[in-house]
Structure formats: structure tokens, C-alpha cells
Amino acid sequence: MNISEHTLIDYINGELPPSETEALEIRLSSDPDLRAELEELRATTILIEQAFAEEKNLVPEDSHAKTRAIPTPPIRLLPRGLRWTLHPLMLGGLAACVVFLSVPVLIWIYQNPGKTRSSDNAGSETRMMLPPPPPPLKQAAEMDPIVLFDEANQIDAMTESDAPAQSYAIGSPRPSSLAVLSLELSETTGDSSSNTLAATRINPSLKDVGAAIAVVTREFIMEQEKVQGPEFRTDAFDSITPNPFKRVEQHPLSTFSIDVDTASYSVVREHLNRWKFPPSGAVRTEELINYFPYDYPKPESKETPFKVIADITNAPWQLEHRLVRVAIQGYEIPWENRPPSNLVFLIDSSGSMEGTNRLPLVKKALNHLISRLDERDRIAVVTYSGNSRVVLPSTTGNNRETIRFAVDSLLAGGSTQGSAGIQEAYRLAKEGFLPDGNNRVILCTDGDFNVGVTNRSDLVDLIQKEAKSGVFISIMGFGMGNYKDGTLEELSNKGNGNYAYIDTDREAIKVFSEQIAGTLITIAKDVKIQVEFNPNLVDAYRLIGYENRLLAPEDFNDDKKDAGEIGSGARVTALYEVIPAGADTDSADIPTVDPLKYQKPAQPAESSDELLTVKIRYKDPKSSTSRLIEHPLSNQVIPFEKTDDNLRLAVSAAGFGILLRSEPESGSLDWTMLSEIVHGIQSKDEGGHRAGLIQLIEKASMLRYNPPRHPQD
């Protein structure tokens, strides 16, 4: 039976009759292509809604004071054929409007500072409300260009307080011999194209009206925040100290637990999308690296559930150094062949979950998951606010409307009795335990526990105790303002779980639909990686990220030591920066110890061309005994310009984290170099994740070199 696009659109809009809805959902549960088409249509709706919402938010409320409010009808998708026929015309018309309307407005702003522009009707009281213009610019004859960057893209010796107010950095520049970022008015002659922005002269690679509009928009947003006052926030992030370089002769082994969490990337994005630089504690570089869906070769069978990928290249920010990639790709169990799931949705419905990006977003996210389940699965719903409550006892997954009704009926209010909710959720999960299935609690919260067990260490003890039951946990963070990131990350680490932060409906689709197998189906637990370096070829190394995942060397063989879990089809990537033997180490801050008095240091083995050996220990989800995989890496350096796009993307994400945290071991890395690396990736960007990274890099570079001018930011 073919399902028409009109039927899918009616389903998305909630206009499909109940009988047809049930038949469609049965078909969706067994047809991945149809689900993909549905998610594409749903994502299109979301993008349209977000575009209209963003456009509405850019208009100040005062601009509507003289205008009668007109109700906005709900957005409805058009059929695909008509949609793709109209899109080019609509987008073309919109682009023309932006160019022809924005340019005169911006020209007028710069030429008439401090004024508002009247509409064409002189007798009307209606005014066009525009963002406040930046301070007046000097004429070209009076103004010297302002140099904000030197050859390495570092800020000039001139301090921010000394810099003239008319200096505006726009975006992250492309490499040039000297990046001069200034807006200045100049005389125009000849070429009419030079009239853009009243002949604004900026770095040639940045002649982009959109970038200039972004600056004006950001200035407007900051002025609005200055009037409204700073927002009071109680977000909590743990501090992070970057891993130092270690000498191989003293520390030949590097051991850590794997991490498949992605929360940090979404948290960073949430901050940058509000034009706020994220706190350094929010930036866990390994989670930025592991956010992206790398295309690694897959294992041939589930008997050996991992494929090891290891290679070496030049470090682009320190050419004498090397970068080593150590990655594992997990075996992917087809969704239709998955074991049954026993799930308990544990939902924070306290007053702190009010707001569109909290409980309402939780409901949307869980609905994406509900549409993927069927009669093999069982779902229960537990909420907690002042106390815990079983909203829905364990119900088969094909009763989707019943499950959706239970989730959609929730309202936010009251205090946060999180510990009681956790205990109740685990009780239900253990009651319905499936020996041959997936048993998991899915906790959706902002982490603000303020009633019952509120002490963080006591909550960790509670989670560790419950984890011994064989029930895993997935923790999904929502909202920002009183967000407790450190608590949620530690709970997921100690509870045999994974951790993600949901800031948009698109992220909800990624976590709860596109990557749901990796979230629900565990293929291995207590996965540890240990790398042994060859002292004949490596002088020193540092692990980029994984600071709170480090293990002692002896923990690697200790099966009682807890480590991370990995799901179906999931992948883990780690990067080491390596100083080859004989290379100059003056540029690296390497701690040393005095020579030993009573024993001699270990002697290196005979010469070998192996740079290192990767060892992986893991357990089957139902086993208590670990298995071992070994993978040596020969010292064959691949020039960075010849590396694959997977490695370049991982290096881009790692560099993003290094710059966000202002790490001292960054060499010549700057926003220009980072932008060049990520723009050099040529592979298809499925899902638009790389494009999203580029946007975040541009926003971060603007905030770093053109910070807000008022103290609360």
C-alpha cells in the first residue's frame, strides 16, 4: 500500500482520522523509508516554524504598539510537488527583498545615527523601528584602519578598553597576510557594486551583507538586554583542567573510559545561539568530537562488536607535532531485528520545567521515540514534582495514542522530588525486567533536584545502587537558566548510561529517532581504551579531552572497575597530540620529576616501527568478564592535506573545543585556521551537522574578537 504525501501531512498536522492514524503507525513501525519521509516532512515544518519565530523575535514589541494584532494561522505543509515548485520563487523573492530593503536601511542607519526613520506617509504616526545604530564612523580621510589581528590571528597589543568604539569585527576571516577588520566609510568611484553599505570597506573575503546585518542585529539584542537588565541564572558546570603533555618514559600508558555522550555540543550551541560565550566548564571536547556521525568501516559480525581505526598525521597548529586518531565503530543491529525494550519514561514535571524549551520540548522528543516502538516493547510513564506519580503503568508499544496521551497531559508545577521519581522508575523497570531485552530508564530533566535526596553525592550513590539491577539509564537534559549539567553528567557516568542535551526539536529528532538504536540498544559495557606508546618514537603525548574519564593504568584489567557503555552502531573517537622523539619540546609545557635514586627507569624495547598499540577491553551487556582487542599502529605519517574527511571533521571539533576553552597548548591554532580546516571538508553533509558547526565557529569568533560592550555579558 502506497502512502500519499497528503496522508503524511495530515498525520503531522493531527488531522488524520483515528482509524487511518493507527494503520499508518503500524506501517511506519516496519517501513524505514516511510519513516524517513515522515521525518523529512516533519523537519521541514519545524524549520518553517523556527524561521517565522526567529523573524518575529527580531521585531521589538514597541513596533506593534500602533498595530492591531492579527492571529497567525498554524503552519501547514503543501504537497511536495507544489512545495518544490514554489520554493525557488519564494526564496528568490525573499532574497531580493532582503538585498533591496536591507541595504538602503543600513546605509541610512550609518549616515543618520541616533534617528528613527519615518514611513513614507508623513501624516501617519507609525514609525519603522530599527536597531540602534553603532556609534558614528569617521570619514576615510580621518580614520586609520584598526588592526585587530596579527599574522597568527592574535589580538593586537592594544587593549579592548583602548580600542575605538567604531571597531567591529565581522565573523571569522579567511587567511590573509594581515587581517584588518574595520568598518569605515570611503569614497566610491566607478563600480556600482561598491555602494553596498555605503561603500563599507572590510576584509575582501568578508564582503557579505549578511555578516554586517548579523553585527547590527547582535548590537540590537545587546541593547535590549542592557535595558532589561542581566538575566539571573544558576546553571552549574564542573570545572575542567585540560590534560597536560606527559613524557612516555614516565607515563607509557594512557587509559580512559569511552564516552558517547553529546550533551556538551548542544549546550555550547544553546549558548552561542543566544550570543553568549559558553563557560569553559560546559565545553567537554570529547563530546564535541563525538557529536558527529563519522563514516567509519563497520565490523563484519556482532561476535567482534568493534572495528578499530587508528592513523597519524601532522598537527596543523604545531607542525613538529603529530595527531593520532584512535576510534572504534560499533556493530549496528538493524532496528527491525532489535530485542524488545522495557522502557520507563521518568519526566521532571516540576515548576522549573515550565517554558517552551523544557516540558513542551520533552513531549515532542518522546513522541519521536513513541512512533518507533511496537508491540514488542513496553513503556511506563513516571513523573515527579513534589512527589512521584505513575502516570501510565507498563503498556505495550503499539498503544501509541494511550502513551502519547499520558505524556501530552503533563503540566509543570511544584518542587522537584527527583530521588523519589528515580526510585519509582527503577522499581517499575525491575518489575517488567526482560532478561533478553533492553531495560532502561529515560530521565528528562533540567537536573534541579531540590526536595528529598538533593545532595549530589547521595544522588550518585542512589544511581550506582540502582545500576546494579541491570537497568541502564539515558539522561536527557532540557532548558537553561538553572541547568545542572555537572550533576546530570555524573549521574549518567555512574548509572551505566548516556547523556544528551536537547535544545531544539531538530536535536530531539537526532537523538530520539535517527540515532535511537545507539541510545537504547547496548552492545557492550565497561568499555576501556589503553594506549601504549613506543618511547623510541614518541617523546611526549597529551589526550585531547576525556579529562573526567581518565583511569589508572591498573584499572584497565580490573573487571570490577566501571566504564562507559556503547550502543548499536555508535562510534567513539579520541585524538592524541604527540611529540615525536627528537623533536623540540620547548614549545610544550611538560612536567618532569627528579631522577630516581633507588631504581633505574625501564629500558625501551628493541627498535620497532610501531608508534603505539591500542588495547580495548569490553564486556558483553550480560557478562561480568571482559574481552580484549589489540591493534598496533605503524609510524606512517599521512600529510594533513591528504587525510580523510572524517579525521578533518574530528580535528575541527577538537580545535573548536580548544579555542572555546582557551587552552594553553593551542600552538598557532586560531579561528581563521579552524574555519579553513572545516571549510576544506568535501564530503556530503548529511543532516547539516557540519554546516551547523561552521555557523557556531563564526558566532564564537565574533564573540571572542568583538565582545559585548556591557558588563553583564
Side-chain angles (χ1 to χ4, degrees), residues 67-332:
T67 307
R68 181 170 56 88
I70 300 175
T72 303
I75 294 174
R76 292 290 183 263
L77 281 175
L78 296 171
R80 175 175 296 182
L82 183 56
R83 204 163 70 233
W84 294 117
T85 301
L86 294 180
H87 273 180
L89 297 176
M90 294 168 64
L91 293 176
L94 180 60
C97 290
V98 169
V99 172
F100 286 104
L101 293 179
S102 299
V103 171
V105 168
L106 289 171
I107 292 174
W108 190 91
I109 290 173
Y110 280 92
Q111 293 176 344
N112 299 271
K115 299 180 182 180
T116 57
R117 181 178 178 182
S118 301
S119 63
D120 292 338
N121 185 353
S124 172
E125 294 183 26
T126 303
R127 300 275 181 177
M128 179 186 296
M129 301 301 295
L130 296 174
L137 304 179
K138 294 182 181 180
Q139 296 297 322
E142 305 175 33
M143 178 178 175
D144 295 324
I146 301 166
V147 179
L148 296 186
F149 302 83
D150 60 16
E151 290 286 345
N153 212 22
Q154 304 296 321
I155 296 180
D156 189 76
M158 176 179 62
T159 64
E160 179 187 346
S161 59
D162 297 328
Q166 59 266 33
S167 169
Y168 290 89
I170 303 181
S172 173
R174 301 289 187 184
S176 61
S177 59
L178 190 64
V180 179
L181 297 181
S182 64
L183 292 177
E184 63 181 85
L185 299 179
S186 60
E187 295 295 331
T188 62
T189 57
D191 186 3
S192 60
S193 63
S194 63
N195 291 325
T196 303
L197 283 178
T200 297
R201 181 160 64 85
I202 53 182
N203 188 294
S205 62
L206 296 174
K207 287 185 177 179
D208 180 6
V209 175
I213 293 174
V215 171
V216 176
T217 301
R218 189 166 68 87
E219 290 293 318
F220 169 67
I221 293 172
M222 290 189 296
E223 290 298 323
Q224 291 294 104
E225 291 177 353
K226 185 188 297 184
V227 172
Q228 297 168 0
E231 181 183 3
F232 181 72
R233 304 174 70 88
T234 59
D235 303 318
F237 301 95
D238 290 347
S239 62
I240 297 173
T241 301
N243 292 322
F245 276 100
K246 295 184 177 181
R247 291 197 180 276
V248 174
E249 62 182 15
Q250 297 161 359
H251 305 277
L253 298 175
S254 171
T255 311
F256 62 97
S257 165
I258 62 101
D259 187 5
V260 294
D261 297 342
T262 61
S264 179
Y265 185 91
S266 300
V267 169
V268 166
R269 178 175 60 202
E270 194 275 342
H271 279 79
L272 291 176
N273 283 342
R274 291 186 294 108
W275 293 104
K276 308 290 184 183
F277 214 77
S280 59
V283 184
R284 292 183 290 273
T285 306
E286 71 277 8
E287 295 186 21
L288 305 188
I289 295 172
N290 287 313
Y291 180 83
F292 298 95
Y294 303 105
D295 185 20
Y296 291 150
K298 295 177 174 55
E300 288 75 19
S301 69
K302 61 181 178 181
E303 280 68 35
T304 303
F306 299 119
K307 184 81 170 181
V308 181
I309 299 96
D311 46 20
I312 178 172
T313 185
N314 308 104
W317 51 78
Q318 195 72 269
L319 295 181
E320 317 87 61
H321 296 184
R322 306 285 184 260
L323 284 180
V324 173
R325 170 176 56 178
V326 175
I328 57 176
Q329 169 69 55
Y331 178 77
E332 185 170 5

Side-chain angles (χ1 to χ4, degrees), residues 553-661:
E554 58 270 22
D555 291 338
F556 184 71
N557 292 328
D558 184 358
D559 282 353
K560 298 186 296 297
K561 187 68 177 180
D562 183 63
E565 284 64 46
I566 189 168
S568 169
R571 58 200 68 80
V572 177
T573 301
L575 294 175
Y576 284 93
E577 185 171 354
V578 171
I579 302 178
D584 181 14
T585 59
D586 292 342
S587 60
D589 183 14
I590 307 177
T592 59
V593 297
D594 292 334
L596 299 176
K597 181 178 180 180
Y598 300 110
Q599 57 184 317
K600 295 180 180 180
Q603 295 299 314
E606 295 182 3
S607 179
S608 169
D609 67 344
E610 291 180 2
L611 186 80
L612 54 83
T613 295
V614 179
K615 294 186 288 185
I616 299 172
R617 277 203 177 274
Y618 69 96
K619 299 174 188 172
D620 183 85
K622 297 176 178 61
S623 174
S624 58
T625 304
S626 66
R627 301 180 185 179
L628 176 66
I629 297 176
E630 291 193 19
H631 183 90
L633 174 63
S634 62
N635 189 29
Q636 296 179 352
V637 181
I638 304 171
F640 188 75
E641 59 272 13
K642 294 184 179 179
T643 54
D644 62 69
D645 286 342
N646 289 314
L647 179 54
R648 291 190 183 204
L649 183 56
V651 171
S652 299
F656 188 40
I658 290 171
L659 291 179
L660 287 174
R661 297 203 311 205

Side-chain angles (χ1 to χ4, degrees), residues 173 190 405 457 468 541 557 594 644:
F405 180 81
S457 62
K468 296 177 182 178
Y541 66 88
N557 292 328
D594 292 334
D644 62 69

